[in-house]
Amino acid sequence: MKIYTKTGDKGATSLVDGTRVSKTSQLLKCYGTVDELNAHIGLLISIEADDFLTDIQRQLFVIGGMLATPTEKWEKFWKNSNLDSFILKVEERIDAMTAEIPPFRGFILPQGNEAIARAHLCRTVCRRAEREVVALFEENQAYETPMILLNRLSDFFFTLARFYHKKMNVDETCW
């Protein structure tokens, strides 16, 4: 099987149900950024292995799939996904890390070591993905749960960077 199909050579691609859309559509911007976030998480995992990060990657594939599916067909393709319960797991992780780090004092420069910087990079790409999904949400409330999960993940990556500072004994540099 060839990897190239040539069906996108004129600037359109197919959604999960076969619907053709422009590669400049908001949907594609969203799931392209979610895919970019997933790749950044893979880089973070390569230097700081964590099964929960892999769980996040799996959930990002769900979000990407949902974004690549017309909302009226989510029930058919995504009825077994449970993003709401994963949001709770992310919140539990944030709370557990927060209990181990000093109180937040203000803006922190995204530096310290490679793991810390990569966690901050994941945070910034996640915030962009969230902003892009917000644009969809403003037109269709069905995107609420993916939007909430991305918001929670950006908080997670900020907290993870701070947690790495403590875990790796690297001082935070405040602005």
Side-chain angles (χ1 to χ4, degrees):
M1 179 175 157
K2 293 182 179 182
I3 189 67
Y4 56 90
T5 62
K6 301 183 182 183
T7 59
D9 289 354
K10 296 199 186 306
T13 192
S14 295
L15 298 180
V16 169
D17 71 338
T19 302
R20 301 288 293 170
V21 296
S22 169
K23 290 183 177 184
T24 63
S25 78
Q26 187 63 32
L27 281 172
L28 267 69
K29 288 178 187 175
C30 289
Y31 70 74
T33 304
V34 168
D35 188 37
E36 181 184 349
L37 171 60
N38 217 334
H40 282 292
I41 294 169
L43 279 171
L44 179 56
I45 290 169
S46 75
I47 58 171
E48 191 64 28
D50 179 343
D51 290 341
F52 192 68
L53 292 174
T54 300
D55 292 343
I56 291 170
Q57 286 187 304
R58 287 187 177 100
Q59 295 304 313
L60 290 175
F61 263 85
V62 171
I63 289 175
M66 291 173 82
L67 293 168
T69 305
T71 56
E72 63 272 8
K73 298 196 177 167
W74 281 6
E75 180 67 24
K76 177 181 178 183
F77 292 100
W78 303 105
K79 68 180 174 186
N80 293 326
S81 64
N82 194 344
L83 295 181
D84 289 320
S85 78
F86 193 72
I87 290 168
L88 294 175
K89 289 178 185 178
V90 172
E91 290 171 350
E92 290 169 4
R93 264 307 167 104
I94 292 169
D95 292 343
M97 289 186 294
T98 299
E100 295 189 34
I101 58 179
F104 180 64
R105 299 181 317 233
F107 290 105
I108 300 164
L109 297 179
Q111 63 173 334
N113 66 24
E114 187 174 359
I116 293 165
R118 289 196 184 280
H120 279 292
L121 188 57
C122 289
R123 172 186 57 80
T124 62
V125 174
C126 189
R127 290 211 190 278
R128 179 164 30 98
E130 178 191 3
R131 288 189 304 271
E132 291 171 354
V133 172
V134 166
L136 293 176
F137 172 76
E138 288 174 349
E139 295 178 18
N140 184 338
Q141 308 300 297
Y143 294 103
E144 182 176 25
T145 304
M147 180 181 67
I148 291 170
L149 178 53
L150 289 168
N151 179 267
R152 215 61 87 247
L153 287 175
S154 65
D155 294 336
F156 169 82
F157 285 112
F158 176 75
T159 306
L160 182 64
R162 294 199 66 228
F163 180 77
Y164 284 167
H165 275 282
K166 176 153 176 41
K167 175 183 173 184
M168 299 169 183
N169 200 29
V170 176
D171 290 336
E172 292 178 336
T173 304
C174 295
W175 173 58

